Amino acid sequence: MHTAPLAILGLVYVSVVTGMTLQRRAVDFFDPAQGGGSMFDNATYGGEPLNVIISGLSSPDVLTDGGVLNYAKVIGFSQECLGFHLGAPQTANLGDGNGSRNQTVEFRQDFGNAIFGSCFESLLGGNHFRIFRQNGPSANSGALFLAASKEKDASTNHDLVGDGYNIGRNELVAAAVGTKSHGGVTYNTVATNITGLMPVGSDGVNHGIAVDGIVTLLTVTVQ
């Protein structure tokens, strides 16, 4: 188990672009706080925890838009119902020099139906997650930061269930770990829990729901 908030560094790649140094390292992720960012995104009534990270050391194809869509489907999630997103997108600052940016995409639990299943989640509630990509000029890990949570049905305006952030993370990780296939691609996922990246408790957290301070790092390898 990792106990420090520092990312694991590997080989270093440096490129010079118009006289500026672009940081690109083979690394799990960079701690957003080191670049003035946060492990919480910006939501309506506080921040939502970025409680899962898909490592920058995962297979490169997994970290692309199309690759993470296929991976989402293998772990039981799909695009939002008929491609529609309700509400404003949330933003996050990952400390990579990009400042606060909109979420890349949002996926919802599909209950085994990749076409219409996410519509059931929108109506009946379930798990969902937002993705933010760390790819700015000062900390370009390529890692995907996920804000996972479990919500109630539409009649409650999608309020979260009690302990919804920890539950959302745990259910996503449980669905991901191991060897699974979708769309002709087989993935192996290894999970590692990290402490020290985010505080414990409910101070400043959206909906006032406490978090346990654990971030789970997923390393996804295409077989």
Side-chain angles (χ1 to χ4, degrees), residues 90-214:
Q90 293 182 10
T91 64
N93 182 346
L94 299 182
D96 59 1
N98 278 335
S100 187
R101 302 190 72 178
N102 285 347
Q103 63 196 49
T104 300
V105 68
E106 184 170 344
F107 293 118
R108 295 184 180 277
Q109 188 174 356
D110 65 16
F111 301 99
N113 186 322
I115 299 176
F116 299 111
S118 61
C119 297
F120 300 141
E121 195 281 338
S122 293
L123 292 173
L124 305 176
N127 211 353
H128 71 302
F129 64 93
R130 309 169 195 274
I131 294 180
F132 302 88
R133 180 176 282 115
Q134 189 177 57
N135 63 352
S138 59
N140 184 10
S141 69
L144 304 178
F145 286 64
L146 280 52
S149 58
K150 188 166 185 175
E151 61 187 6
K152 300 176 183 177
D153 61 37
S155 68
T156 67
N157 295 316
H158 290 154
D159 285 346
L160 297 192
V161 302
D163 201 28
Y165 297 119
N166 297 333
I167 291 173
R169 176 201 61 215
N170 292 344
E171 290 189 355
L172 186 157
V173 171
V177 169
T179 301
K180 305 174 187 293
S181 300
H182 180 82
V185 183
T186 299
Y187 305 90
N188 179 260
T189 303
V190 176
T192 305
N193 285 341
I194 303 171
T195 58
L197 277 175
M198 70 169 62
V200 177
S202 61
D203 187 29
V205 182
N206 197 32
H207 300 291
I209 296 176
V211 298
D212 59 13
I214 295 173

Side-chain angles (χ1 to χ4, degrees), residues 5-9 23-35 39 53 94-96 134 136 138-143 145 197:
L6 299 179
I8 301 172
L9 299 181
Q23 187 180 32
R24 179 65 176 100
R25 299 181 181 177
V27 60
D28 283 317
F29 63 92
F30 292 101
D31 179 357
Q34 300 301 313
M39 286 299 296
I53 300 173
L94 299 182
D96 59 1
Q134 189 177 57
S138 59
N140 184 10
S141 69
F145 286 64
L197 277 175

